[in-house]
Amino acid sequence: MATLTVHNLPDDIDLALRAQAAEHGCSLEAEVLAILENAVTPAERLKMGSALAGLGCQTGLTNQDFDDLEQACANNRKLIELAGSLTRPGQPSVGIDEMKPFRG
């Protein structure tokens, strides 16, 4: 993926972009990317990456939220694997793929 650097960006434009990003609950980078995509992408064409980035902006999700979610999933997987390795004498162990979710 390409990187774009903008030199000599006027302070008022920078402040306006930051305010707009804050209003939309997303990073400055995500806001600028959304503006650029809207400017060059035909209205009838929807790109999945753009849609997901826009959804993240609308819901206020941040990169930290995704990092936290990935960590929580990794922790849950470790717990499930640990639970599957705990068996009583004489009982076979259960692998993570064999475990079924509890539905109360």
Side-chain angles (χ1 to χ4, degrees), residues 74-87:
N75 290 343
N76 285 343
R77 187 165 185 80
K78 288 177 187 175
L79 287 173
I80 291 171
E81 289 173 355
L82 177 62
S85 68
L86 300 175
T87 60

Side-chain angles (χ1 to χ4, degrees), residues 53-97:
L55 181 61
C57 257
Q58 290 172 0
T59 59
L61 293 174
T62 65
N63 288 339
Q64 185 61 50
D65 294 325
F66 286 103
D67 291 343
D68 292 345
L69 180 60
E70 286 178 4
Q71 184 62 50
C73 288
N75 290 343
N76 285 343
R77 187 165 185 80
K78 288 177 187 175
L79 287 173
I80 291 171
E81 289 173 355
L82 177 62
S85 68
L86 300 175
T87 60
R88 294 187 183 129
Q91 290 186 342
S93 64
V94 177
I96 189 170
D97 295 328

Side-chain angles (χ1 to χ4, degrees), residues 35-51:
I35 292 168
L36 290 172
E37 286 179 349
N38 287 335
V40 299
T41 304
E44 66 275 357
R45 182 174 167 216
L46 176 66
K47 296 171 83 177
M48 185 58 77
S50 302

